[in-house]
Amino acid sequence: MAVYTDVLCPFCGCICDDIVVEVGEDGKITKVKGACAIGRSKIMGHDRMESPAIREDGELRDCSYDEAIKRAAEILADARRPLLYGWSSTVCETDRAGVELAVEIGAIIDNTASVCHGPSILAIQDVGLPSCTLGQIRNRADIVIYWGSNPVFAHPNHMKRYSYLSKGRFTPGGKKDRKMVVVDVRETKSAKLADLFVKVRPGGDFLVFSALRAILRGHEDVVPDEVAGVEKKDLLSLAEMIKNANFIITFFGMGVTHSGARHNNIANAIEFTRAAHLHTKATIMPMRGHYNVNGFNQVCTWLLGYPFSIDLSQGYPWYNPGETGAVDVLVHGECDAALIISSDPASHFPADAVRHLARIPVIQIDPYPNPTTEFADVVIPSAICGVEAEGSVYRMDSVPLRVRKIVDSKFMADEEIIRRILEEVRAIKEKEGE
Amino acid sequence: MRQIVFKLRDGALRSGAAEVPVDVSPLTPDKLFGEGEDEIKSTKVWWGNRQENVERIFEVSVSGDASGAEEVKVVFEGELRKVKRIGYEMSAGEIVAEGSVGMHCGARMRGGRITVNGSADCWAGCEMHGGTLIIEGDAGDNLCACYRGETTGMTGGTVVVKGNAGECIAQYMAGGEITVRGNADMLAGLDMKGGKIVIEGDAVMPGANMSGGEIIVKGKVIDMMPSFKYEETVTIDGEEYKKYRGDFAIGEKKAKGTLLIRS
Ligand code: SF4
């Protein structure tokens, strides 16, 4: 038996790095310690996609990697508006190959950010991001605000390792040295643990941020008695807490990015953080979901200048979420072929988008079957990054980390699959050029 | 007068189960002025990730003569919802679109006149600097706003929307005038610095982060920004309006925007 310590968990944006994994004589993982339940199940592995396959007469027929890769390349080389989507639960090396493929075929390339924290990215580009690392929060934050996020469910280890419940250098008493504030439209499990819970009417976050900004800037006289279901006195006491704090962190989740004013909510949340700077140190951070959703955005930004939803059809990167996002081009019925990697749009996209996806040729690369497999035309199983393949990833606070390979696998790694498709596409184009 | 008609061929944008948009930014009066019929027909347009002769996608007919771009009229016909960038960066002449049009109609235009006899999808009149844009139907989101990363939207020109307008119209607007006969959705005039917006119907959260310019709302305001200060009641054209100043969320010194709401 082999024991691996300090293993990184390739599931959520926390990327816990203190996991212990035991591997038996047969090379199979026998035990996972230190991870939360979701992380453990990801590392232990479950039902896999066993073989590459191509759909023929409505049925998936098993085939070789070579055959599946060739068919995928033919579909992509032929397409007039191909979409390459997913990229968040794989490593940056795969994402880099994906960008090369997108450039080669004039595709739209997009990751799951466009359906989760895309709005945050748009806002950050508009107004900047006063942020920090999770380590700073652990060591310094005396006020932790979870706004529209429910870490008890979505990021189980988050509070214990990095925020409210953790003990740090200047917060040795853990939660005794901190106050937790939850702002949400309903009283979640996380809200029940909070020192102050502020209940906002759905869609009202934007108004509350503006009111807090005006108060923090000394204009409480203009603010009415009630703002989006919140009494003015509660806003004043939250502002007072903020003014008296040493270090504030606001974690925001999909409750803010996907309601009401969406990305403008986040721009306003960031401006609220800035207004707090008139009094003390304040920071803000998105609660990113998939472990490497941030990594794709980093890779795209350094290679193409933009973080996601990039249209390369005219030979230069054109970035216009709302037009060039995966959901946009699917709902509008624009794209005529799609490659989906490590993602499941069939479960997470709006019905109109899924309907269009089911009508066009779809290539799927994933370790696991999921509802997208039901209509995929080419299916290519891959190794699990962080367990069977190594690579670079970016944590939710943009700290780069290296996930490891712990066990061997018969499956091809994501990066190799994408590079082989790219080679085939180039070969097809060369032939056409002759 | 030289008239150039582009009629979208039936099914020309089909690719399998998809309909791939075509980008017609090269087809403006100023760019086509001086070109012969054959040259016009072989103008390259982007259709998806490949360029095609415009004739493959549109039936083209040309008549009359012009001595300048102002005398060129371009007409688009057929199902135009997947036709993007009509009148993009146009500086003179006239465009008429017979039907509802795709995204970016009249974006970055500097002069001339566009009439859309239907609705216009998102980003119509985006970063517009001059000219006139008339939309007979509704306008989508980001009308007269700016593209991602820019901090100045419309700077000049006149826009009239006879129906309703979508979210975030006139974001970062700095000049020019917009009239919306119907309602404006969330955050009209967000980050506005100058210019004038008249909304004859209702508006949701208008004027957030405003540092200049004027927004007049003749209908109801839904979700009034909590960071505006009531100043006085004024009379315009015989009607009483409540006058607010804002947005105090950006601080008192910068809060130079005016929001007038009919009482
Ligand atoms: S909190 Fe996230 S990274 Fe940590 S073990 Fe759970 S799933 Fe893995």
Side-chain angles (χ1 to χ4, degrees):
Chain A
M1 188 189 78
V3 178
Y4 295 84
T5 55
D6 299 329
V7 172
L8 287 75
C9 169
F11 187 74
C12 84
C14 291
I15 316 188
C16 296
D17 51 12
D18 55 354
I19 315 287
V20 178
V21 175
E22 293 178 12
V23 179
E25 300 302 334
D26 58 353
K28 293 221 163 48
I29 294 174
T30 51
K31 204 164 188 182
V32 177
K33 286 191 264 185
C36 71
I38 334 178
R40 192 180 322 120
S41 124
K42 171 90 190 230
I43 298 170
M44 291 292 292
H46 42 93
D47 358 81
R48 301 288 290 270
M49 216 137 66
E50 280 304 323
S51 161
I54 293 178
R55 191 171 300 278
E56 274 169 9
D57 304 320
E59 296 293 321
L60 281 174
R61 168 183 67 79
D62 286 358
C63 67
S64 64
Y65 267 107
D66 286 350
E67 199 181 343
I69 285 168
K70 193 151 181 285
R71 183 73 200 109
E74 285 164 4
I75 291 171
L76 293 174
D78 193 40
R80 202 169 263 274
R81 198 152 174 75
L83 166 69
L84 310 180
Y85 176 80
W87 310 107
S88 299
S89 293
T90 183
V91 292
C92 293
E93 288 77 358
T94 313
D95 297 341
R96 183 175 56 193
V99 168
E100 284 176 51
L101 179 61
V103 170
E104 184 69 43
I105 61 172
I108 285 172
I109 187 162
D110 195 12
N111 80 330
T112 56
S114 80
V115 289
C116 60
H117 273 288
S120 317
I121 298 174
L122 291 179
I124 291 163
Q125 290 175 324
D126 276 349
V127 291
L129 185 73
S131 197
C132 60
T133 61
L134 291 166
Q136 277 171 292
I137 295 162
R138 178 192 179 106
N139 288 315
R140 294 176 194 277
D142 56 350
I143 292 204
V144 179
I145 305 175
Y146 285 104
W147 199 307
S149 73
N150 186 5
V152 170
F153 271 111
H155 297 77
N157 276 1
H158 192 270
M159 278 198 270
K160 187 174 82 196
R161 277 181 57 89
Y162 303 117
S163 73
Y164 183 52
L165 302 173
S166 67
K167 291 182 178 159
R169 175 130 185 230
F170 303 104
T171 49
K175 73 176 188 178
K176 280 203 245 67
D177 292 338
R178 308 182 202 266
K179 285 214 163 54
M180 175 163 142
V181 179
V182 169
V183 187
D184 216 316
V185 293
R186 69 202 144 82
E187 197 175 357
T188 58
K189 279 225 162 130
S190 307
K192 292 210 169 76
L193 300 175
D195 297 281
L196 174 66
F197 168 54
V198 178
K199 190 172 173 189
V200 183
R201 146 166 83 66
D205 302 276
F206 190 91
L207 298 165
V208 174
F209 287 124
S210 286
L212 283 169
R213 285 167 65 192
I215 294 169
L216 289 168
R217 288 185 182 278
H219 304 301
E220 61 178 76
D221 55 316
V222 307
V223 175
D225 292 341
E226 191 232 283
V227 178
V230 185
E231 284 183 48
K232 183 172 179 178
K233 70 169 175 38
D234 290 340
L235 292 174
L236 292 175
S237 56
L238 176 54
E240 215 42 46
M241 262 172 99
I242 288 169
K243 287 183 195 170
N244 295 322
N246 291 320
F247 187 113
I248 300 157
I249 174 72
T250 304
F251 291 110
F252 60 93
M254 310 258 284
V256 201
T257 55
H258 279 70
S259 69
R262 298 189 301 275
H263 77 272
N264 291 308
N265 278 336
I266 308 307
N268 217 359
I270 295 169
E271 293 290 3
F272 147 72
T273 307
R274 270 201 191 152
H277 288 171
L278 295 170
H279 308 279
T280 184
K281 167 90 180 162
T283 55
I284 181 165
M285 190 181 294
M287 294 285 274
R288 307 299 300 260
H290 299 288
Y291 69 96
N292 200 30
V293 60
N294 189 356
F296 174 85
N297 302 139
Q298 301 277 350
V299 169
C300 268
T301 306
W302 102 59
L303 289 172
L304 298 172
Y306 301 107
F308 67 107
S309 297
I310 304 157
D311 178 358
L312 292 150
S313 62
Q314 297 191 10
Y316 64 92
W318 165 245
Y319 169 66
N320 199 29
E323 176 184 20
T324 58
V327 171
D328 306 319
V329 290
L330 288 170
V331 167
H332 296 151
E334 282 184 20
C335 72
D336 59 352
L339 178 146
I340 309 292
I341 178 163
S342 64
S343 174
D344 180 18
S347 309
H348 301 120
F349 278 12
D352 283 357
V354 177
R355 225 170 285 132
H356 184 72
L357 197 58
R359 281 198 292 256
I360 60 174
V362 170
I363 301 145
Q364 184 188 32
I365 303 171
D366 210 297
Y368 308 106
N370 60 35
T372 302
T373 318
E374 305 280 313
F375 54 71
D377 301 280
V378 180
V379 165
I380 308 177
S382 63
I384 302 170
C385 298
V387 179
E388 300 165 345
E390 62 168 359
S392 309
V393 299
Y394 282 77
R395 205 166 64 183
M396 63 160 78
D397 56 352
S398 299
V399 170
L401 297 166
R402 187 116 185 122
V403 296
R404 285 150 65 186
K405 176 178 169 170
I406 303 163
V407 293
D408 288 327
S409 157
K410 63 176 182 176
F411 298 108
M412 206 182 269
D414 290 328
E415 186 193 2
E416 191 185 348
I417 297 170
I418 298 293
R419 293 223 169 269
R420 298 253 328 255
I421 294 175
L422 179 58
E423 271 168 35
E424 288 289 337
V425 166
R426 285 186 174 141
I428 294 170
K429 290 203 158 183
E430 221 162 85
K431 243 197 211 150
E432 278 173 1
E434 271 166 15
Chain B
M1 181 68 129
R2 186 166 177 80
Q3 176 155 314
I4 308 165
V5 181
F6 296 101
K7 184 170 190 294
L8 189 73
R9 294 178 192 276
D10 279 345
L13 302 182
R14 286 236 147 252
S15 172
E19 262 202 273
V20 177
V22 59
D23 174 346
V24 296
S25 49
L27 308 182
T28 57
D30 45 337
K31 287 186 195 133
L32 296 177
F33 168 67
E35 308 257 293
E37 188 167 339
D38 289 344
E39 283 168 294
I40 293 173
K41 285 182 174 168
S42 57
T43 306
K44 294 272 187 236
V45 289
W46 282 97
W47 178 41
N49 55 13
R50 297 162 173 84
Q51 282 184 300
E52 303 292 345
N53 287 347
V54 69
E55 216 198 347
R56 171 169 172 186
I57 296 165
F58 294 92
E59 276 169 44
V60 185
S61 53
V62 183
S63 61
D65 286 306
S67 59
E70 325 71 67
E71 288 173 26
V72 178
K73 178 175 175 183
V74 172
V75 180
F76 288 94
E77 294 176 355
E79 170 50 62
L80 304 171
R81 284 172 207 271
K82 287 280 185 306
V83 178
K84 289 185 181 175
R85 294 203 176 110
I86 289 177
Y88 186 77
E89 289 183 345
M90 121 176 207
S91 61
E94 187 182 358
I95 294 182
V96 176
E98 300 292 359
S100 293
V101 299
M103 293 175 184
H104 316 293
C105 177
R108 291 182 171 152
M109 92 186 261
R110 293 190 299 273
R113 183 185 173 90
I114 301 177
T115 308
V116 178
N117 288 316
S119 294
D121 206 340
C122 305
W123 290 282
C126 188
E127 292 176 22
M128 181 169 170
H129 301 303
T132 305
L133 171 62
I134 309 289
I135 298 167
E136 292 288 334
D138 299 332
D141 299 339
N142 308 311
L143 170 84
C144 301
C146 51
Y147 287 114
R148 309 289 178 195
E150 295 292 337
T151 52
T152 301
M154 178 175 180
T155 59
T158 308
V159 175
V160 178
V161 178
K162 304 228 173 129
N164 300 321
E167 294 180 11
C168 298
I169 65 166
Q171 184 172 13
Y172 286 111
M173 181 176 184
E177 186 167 342
I178 304 171
T179 305
V180 178
R181 295 270 158 81
N183 305 323
D185 205 339
M186 213 176 304
L187 296 170
L190 176 63
D191 302 302
M192 185 171 175
K193 304 186 274 192
K196 183 176 173 183
I197 310 174
V198 180
I199 299 164
E200 298 189 356
D202 302 341
V204 187
M205 296 197 268
N209 293 343
M210 223 179 153
S211 61
E214 187 176 274
I215 304 177
I216 299 175
V217 183
K218 298 193 177 174
K220 279 197 307 289
V221 166
I222 299 153
D223 285 345
M224 173 70 188
M225 290 306 300
S227 42
F228 273 63
K229 188 175 192 168
Y230 171 72
E231 292 200 317
E232 57 181 333
T233 301
V234 296
T235 308
I236 306 170
D237 297 333
E239 306 264 12
E240 283 201 341
Y241 285 82
K242 282 202 171 103
K243 185 176 169 189
Y244 293 85
R245 192 180 137 206
D247 182 344
F248 280 81
I250 59 173
E252 187 173 11
K253 266 200 221 118
K254 290 193 202 152
K256 298 252 171 59
T258 304
L259 177 58
L260 292 152
I261 303 171
R262 185 149 75 178
S263 16

